[in-house]
Amino acid sequence: MTVDYGSLYIGGAWTRPSSEQRIEAYSAATEELLGSVPAGGPADIDAAVAAARRAFDDPNGWATWEPARRAAVLERFAAELVTRSAEMVRRVSAQNGMPIRFGKPVEGTVPVTMLRYYAELIQQLPTSEVRRSLVVGNTEVRREPLGVVGAIVPWNFPQTLAFFKIAPALAAGCTVVMKPSSETVLDAMLIAEAAAAAELPAGVLNIVPGSGRTAGAHLVAHPGVDKIAFTGSTDAGRAIAETCGRLLKPVTLELGGKSAALILDDADLSAVIPNLFAASLMNQGQSCYICTRILAPRSRYGEVVDALSDMVRALRIGDPLDRSTVIGPVASAGQREIIEGYIAKGKAEGGRITVGGGRPAGFDRGWFVEPTVFADVDNNSTVAREEIFGPVLAVIPFDDDADAVRQANDSPYGLGGTVWTSDVERGAALARRVQTGSIGVNGYTMDHGAPFGGVKDSGLGRELGPEGLAAYQQYKSIYLP
Ligand code: NAD
C-alpha cells in the first residue's frame, strides 16, 4: 500500500497544488513505489512565501510574541513529532536506506531535541539589553528575528537537518518555508501533519516539496524571503551563494566534506577500529562530516589497512528496516552510479581494493554497494580529494604528526575530522591544528549544543548551539536619551 498526499501544507492548511505534477518516492532496498506527493512549483512557493510573510509581518503575530508563548507552541510541536516518531523513522529508512538502528536515535530523536533545546534557549537568552552608550545616554541593543526563512534540505538526514533550521528559526520568531529533497518527501509530510496537529499559527511553517532545482532556486531568489538556510552539495551551495550575494540576502551553507581520520602512532587499534565505523561509514558514507580519508602512520600502515579491512568485511549488509543491519542500500540508482564511477576511477589510478569494490552478492534489488577500502592511495588521487558520498574509504600513509596535519589540511573541504591516540592531550593539540569546523578525539559525536559547520568549500556560517539561534536574529540598536 502506498502513502499518497493530494495537497501541500501552506498557510496552516492543506492546500491544492498549482499543478498535477507529482513526486514519487521509492524504496532504496526494493525499488518499489512507496508513495507520492504533489510537486510544488514556483506558484506554490509563491503561495508559501506569501503565507510566511503574512505570518511574520502580522503586528500581533509570531515574531512579536513573548519567547515563552512561542516556546509553548514548539513544545506542542515536539510532542506531536514524538507520537509520529516510529513512522517517521520507518519512512526515512525506507526512502534513503538509512539502517533503522541509526535512524531511531538520530532521525526519530534529534528533531524533538532541537525543538525543546531552542524553546528553552529562547527563554533564557535576553533578546534585548540596555547598555551604557560610549557617547551619550543609553542604547537598547535588540536581537530581532530575521524574517521569512527559506530552508532547503538534502535527503541523507532529512529530519535532523530540517530541524537544525526549523527549530532555531521558529524559536527566534522567524517564519519558514521548507523545501525537502525529492528523494525524501514522505517524511517531510509528517512534519506538516505534526505542525497542523500542534496548531502552529497559520503560515509559521510551510512545507513545499519540489522536484529538481526549480522550486529551491525560486525560493532562494524570492524577494519575500529574508534568509536562506541550505544543506546540500558544494556545487548547489555555490549557486545559491551567488544568488544570495547579488541580492545581499543572508545565507547559511552546510556543504560537502572529505574529512580525515588521523590515526597516530600510539593508537590502540583494537579500540580505534570498532569506533571508526561510526566516524567513517555511518549511513553508508552518506554523511557530510564523516572521515573518508584514513591517515595512517607509515610505520603501521599495513596493520591499519588489515584491521580496517577486517572490520569492513564483517559489516552486516541488509534491509535498512531490519534492526541488525549496519549497511543498507544507498539512496538512489543515480547515487550508486556515482559511487561505482569513483570506485572504477580509484582502481584506474592505481588504488588497491582490500575489501568490497562491487555490489554485494544476493541483493538483486535495491541500490546496494559493498563498503570498500582502498589502500596504496595518495592524498592527491581522485578518491582522496572528491566527496564520494558513499561507503568508500581511502587509507593514506603519513610520516609524522606534522605530515598528518599537512595532509589533513590539504583538501578543498573542512567539515569534520578525528584524531585517534592513547594520549588525549596530544590528540587535542593536533586537533587544534586541523582546518575544520569540528573534530573529535577518539570518536566523533556531534554536540548539538556546540556550533557545527564548515570552513573552505564545506560552507559558511554555523548551525546548532546558541550560535545556531543567532543565525536567525539580527541586531538593532536604539539610541535612547
Ligand atoms: P543537493 O545539493 O543535490 O541537494 C540538496 C537540496 O538542495 C535539495 O533539496 C535540492 O533539491 C536543492 N537544490 C539543489 N540545487 C539547488 C539550487 N541551485 N538552488 C536551490 N536548491 C537547490 O545535495 P544532496 O545530494 O541532496 O545531498 C548531499 C550533499 O549534501 C553532499 O554534498 C553532502 O556532503 C551535503 N551535506 C552537507 C551537510 C552539512 O551539514 N555540511 C549535511 C548533510 C549533507
Side-chain angles (χ1 to χ4, degrees), residues 152-156 161 179-181 212-213 216-217 220 230-234 236 239-240 254-257 288 387 389 415 452 458:
I152 301 176
V153 196
W155 46 261
N156 61 332
L161 298 170
K179 195 211 78 69
S181 176
R213 304 195 155 189
V220 171
F230 173 78
T231 300
S233 61
T234 296
I240 289 170
E254 299 285 0
L255 310 177
C288 53
E387 183 184 50
F389 224 56
L415 188 58
F452 174 81
S458 291

Side-chain angles (χ1 to χ4, degrees), residues 247-292:
L247 298 172
L248 294 178
K249 189 177 289 194
V251 59
T252 308
L253 299 169
E254 299 285 0
L255 310 177
K258 190 77 195 182
S259 301
L262 288 69
I263 301 181
L264 304 190
D265 53 10
D266 66 352
D268 171 5
L269 288 189
S270 64
V272 170
I273 297 297
N275 291 325
L276 198 53
F277 169 78
S280 64
L281 284 170
M282 162 93 156
N283 203 22
Q284 296 79 254
Q286 301 173 135
S287 314
C288 53
Y289 57 79
I290 51 163
C291 301
T292 46

Side-chain angles (χ1 to χ4, degrees), residues 114 444-452 463-465:
M114 289 291 93
Y444 185 101
T445 307
M446 194 184 283
D447 176 1
H448 298 130
F452 174 81
E463 295 189 315
L464 302 182

Side-chain angles (χ1 to χ4, degrees), residues 33 70 90 122 202 237 250 287 363 392 402 426:
L33 183 67
R70 283 201 299 272
R90 211 189 57 75
I122 194 68
S287 314
F363 293 90
V392 182
R426 179 183 173 205

Side-chain angles (χ1 to χ4, degrees), residues 24 28-29 102 159 218 249 267 309 314 327 420:
E24 293 180 331
F102 311 125
Q159 289 295 308
H218 191 71
K249 189 177 289 194
S309 305
I327 294 280
W420 304 84

Side-chain angles (χ1 to χ4, degrees), residues 26-273:
Y26 290 91
S27 159
T30 66
E31 305 179 29
E32 282 165 2
L33 183 67
L34 295 169
S36 65
V37 304
D44 304 292
I45 293 284
D46 288 346
V49 172
R53 190 77 265 160
R54 272 194 305 278
F56 184 79
D57 293 337
D58 180 346
N60 301 309
W62 184 252
T64 70
W65 289 10
E66 284 301 312
R69 193 173 166 200
R70 283 201 299 272
V73 176
L74 297 187
E75 287 289 348
R76 277 204 317 263
F77 191 12
E80 292 295 341
L81 284 177
V82 170
T83 66
R84 290 163 177 79
S85 160
E87 176 62 7
M88 190 71 95
V89 170
R90 211 189 57 75
R91 287 191 189 183
V92 170
S93 290
Q95 291 169 111
N96 75 0
M98 179 186 297
I100 204 150
R101 64 193 293 155
F102 311 125
K104 204 168 171 203
V106 184
E107 293 289 275
T109 307
V110 176
V112 173
T113 308
M114 289 291 93
L115 283 173
R116 294 188 171 148
Y117 171 71
Y118 283 110
E120 185 67 34
L121 198 65
I122 194 68
Q123 296 179 81
Q124 286 169 4
L125 290 180
T127 46
S128 161
E129 67 180 281
V130 177
R131 298 180 191 173
R132 210 179 147 76
S133 160
L134 283 179
V135 184
V136 62
N138 293 311
T139 299
E140 183 191 355
V141 178
R142 292 172 56 76
R143 289 163 184 249
E144 300 192 335
L146 251 166
V148 173
V149 173
I152 301 176
V153 196
W155 46 261
N156 61 332
F157 288 90
Q159 289 295 308
T160 299
L161 298 170
F163 279 90
F164 279 9
K165 298 161 186 55
I166 292 171
L170 296 188
C174 295
T175 59
V176 175
V177 176
M178 203 273 272
K179 195 211 78 69
S181 176
S182 48
E183 282 82 359
T184 45
V185 285
L186 299 180
D187 57 297
M189 298 312 259
L190 276 184
I191 302 181
E193 287 182 16
E199 297 181 348
L200 261 68
V204 162
L205 177 63
N206 310 271
I207 310 241
V208 186
S211 56
R213 304 195 155 189
T214 321
H218 191 71
L219 182 62
V220 171
H222 203 294
V225 174
D226 301 303
K227 179 198 162 112
I228 293 296
F230 173 78
T231 300
S233 61
T234 296
D235 281 353
R238 240 185 255 290
I240 289 170
E242 278 181 24
T243 304
C244 290
R246 183 166 43 80
L247 298 172
L248 294 178
K249 189 177 289 194
V251 59
T252 308
L253 299 169
E254 299 285 0
L255 310 177
K258 190 77 195 182
S259 301
L262 288 69
I263 301 181
L264 304 190
D265 53 10
D266 66 352
D268 171 5
L269 288 189
S270 64
V272 170
I273 297 297

Side-chain angles (χ1 to χ4, degrees), residues 264-265 296-304 397-399:
L264 304 190
D265 53 10
R298 205 174 289 279
S299 59
R300 301 184 68 189
Y301 186 77
E303 206 189 327
V304 171
F398 66 82
D399 296 323

